[in-house]
Amino acid sequence: NYKETLLKILDSLKAQTVYDVACGTGIDSVMLVEEGYRVVSSDADEHFLHKAKEVKQKRPELADWQIGFGDWLELKEARVKHPADGYDAILCIGNSFTTLPDFEGEKRTHVRALQNFRDLLKVGGVLIIDHRNYDYTLAHNKYPPNSHCRSVYYNSDRVFNIKTDLVEEEGKVVKLIFKSDMDVSGTELENDSDIILKRRDEVMVPTLELNDISNYPHTLKGFTALLKMVFGDEAEHRVLPDFREKAPEDFVPNYWVHVIFRS
């Protein structure tokens, strides 16, 4: 359960302030507010932000939750109020970072975004950031076994019509385009204006289309090197396979979760 491990990390720091820099519709942010953290959330997708703000409006207990537009490359100018002394923790999970193209080449765009994350942390603060197990994908041209029916983050039983297109250049996979549908029956999204009816196992179900999500793959070694370039070789860093602190030697994770501290 990723929630249990995430809260354990935050509790060990005695964290109070958390910045969710890829909040989407706010699922993780709401969970953290409910756990008593002071949460600031941003996203570069106005559609997702609108959904998150709708959730906040419906729940008076979320009144202190800050939500605003935030571009990772100009994060200090995000439309939220950052704490003057920095955050105890910054969260970027759900494979979100891999949606960022390297506009400048040589990983310079990725380094710039990670530097902004680091600069908004207190000394001793932690960045928790993940990416899919692209080492497996690049080696086998497919996601790991059970990657969509054993998700760390969501109820995988709801996902159907899964399709992944691999984009290659000179024989190397440089981008993955992920498409799927999600059955939202019985959820608060069921009556949303974006929901359409689709056939699933001979039954029509309310469906959220998750189309054309582009991901730019990072290997475990390569992403670790990026983090060390930004945070320094001396920074405490550990990697959790699927948020597990211990896993069998033959375990093939869907996600690599990096936990790195600002020193």
Side-chain angles (χ1 to χ4, degrees):
N1 186 311
Y2 87 98
K3 176 182 174 180
E4 181 180 340
T5 303
L6 175 60
L7 293 179
K8 184 176 179 181
I9 295 168
L10 297 177
D11 289 348
S12 71
L13 284 174
K14 294 182 171 54
Q16 295 181 332
T17 55
V18 181
Y19 187 13
D20 185 353
V21 298
C23 70
T25 59
I27 293 172
D28 297 311
S29 295
V30 169
M31 178 268 289
L32 291 170
V33 172
E34 291 173 341
E35 292 291 332
Y37 295 97
R38 296 201 301 272
V39 180
V40 175
S41 304
S42 65
D43 203 287
D45 188 313
E46 294 283 9
H47 177 72
F48 284 153
L49 287 176
H50 178 72
K51 299 297 182 188
K53 290 174 181 177
E54 283 185 340
V55 172
K56 177 180 176 179
Q57 289 172 356
K58 293 175 184 176
R59 298 181 54 182
E61 70 273 23
L62 301 177
D64 294 332
W65 174 27
Q66 275 198 74
I67 311 169
F69 180 88
D71 182 336
W72 295 336
L73 302 180
E74 298 178 351
L75 208 54
K76 293 176 184 176
E77 285 73 50
R79 297 173 200 160
V80 294
K81 184 177 180 181
H82 297 305
D85 57 347
Y87 292 95
D88 296 313
I90 290 179
L91 197 63
C92 184
I93 59 175
N95 201 44
S96 299
F97 195 81
T98 69
T99 63
L100 177 66
D102 183 18
F103 298 112
E104 300 153 280
E106 304 296 326
K107 303 294 184 183
R108 286 189 289 267
T109 303
H110 299 146
V111 167
R112 196 146 60 93
L114 292 170
Q115 285 174 334
N116 287 336
F117 295 169
R118 180 206 61 193
D119 291 348
L120 285 170
L121 282 172
K122 293 178 180 178
V123 173
V126 65
L127 170 65
I128 302 170
I129 187 169
D130 72 1
H131 55 84
R132 281 190 177 274
N133 183 358
Y134 288 117
D135 294 82
Y136 185 97
T137 303
L138 296 174
H140 301 279
N141 276 10
K142 61 182 181 180
Y143 284 117
N146 303 317
S147 64
H148 299 299
C149 61
R150 195 195 67 210
S151 174
V152 178
Y153 297 112
Y154 54 82
N155 182 354
S156 312
D157 295 337
R158 292 184 176 273
V159 181
F160 65 107
N161 289 345
I162 298 165
K163 182 181 179 182
T164 304
D165 295 326
L166 305 180
V167 180
E168 296 187 17
E169 292 181 4
E170 299 179 355
K172 180 181 178 182
V173 176
V174 295
K175 182 167 71 171
L176 300 92
I177 302 175
F178 179 67
K179 304 178 182 181
S180 68
D181 293 322
M182 181 174 286
D183 179 353
V184 295
S185 301
T187 74
E188 61 183 19
L189 293 174
E190 187 170 6
N191 297 314
D192 193 276
S193 59
D194 297 329
I195 301 304
I196 63 174
L197 289 176
K198 279 195 174 184
R199 187 174 299 279
R200 182 186 188 193
D201 298 330
E202 307 306 320
V203 178
M204 301 299 287
V205 297
T207 301
L208 175 65
E209 293 183 310
L210 304 171
N211 286 338
D212 297 339
I213 301 174
S214 295
N215 299 121
Y216 302 87
H218 293 274
T219 64
L220 177 59
K221 182 179 179 180
F223 199 73
T224 297
L226 277 177
L227 289 171
K228 289 291 188 176
M229 185 187 305
V230 172
F231 282 78
D233 289 331
E234 75 284 353
E236 180 185 346
H237 171 250
R238 61 183 187 270
V239 180
L240 307 177
D242 282 350
F243 266 103
R244 298 185 183 203
E245 296 183 292
K246 293 182 180 179
E249 287 187 11
D250 60 349
F251 181 69
V252 180
N254 295 317
Y255 292 87
W256 294 113
V257 182
H258 297 258
V259 181
I260 191 162
F261 294 81
R262 181 177 181 181
S263 56

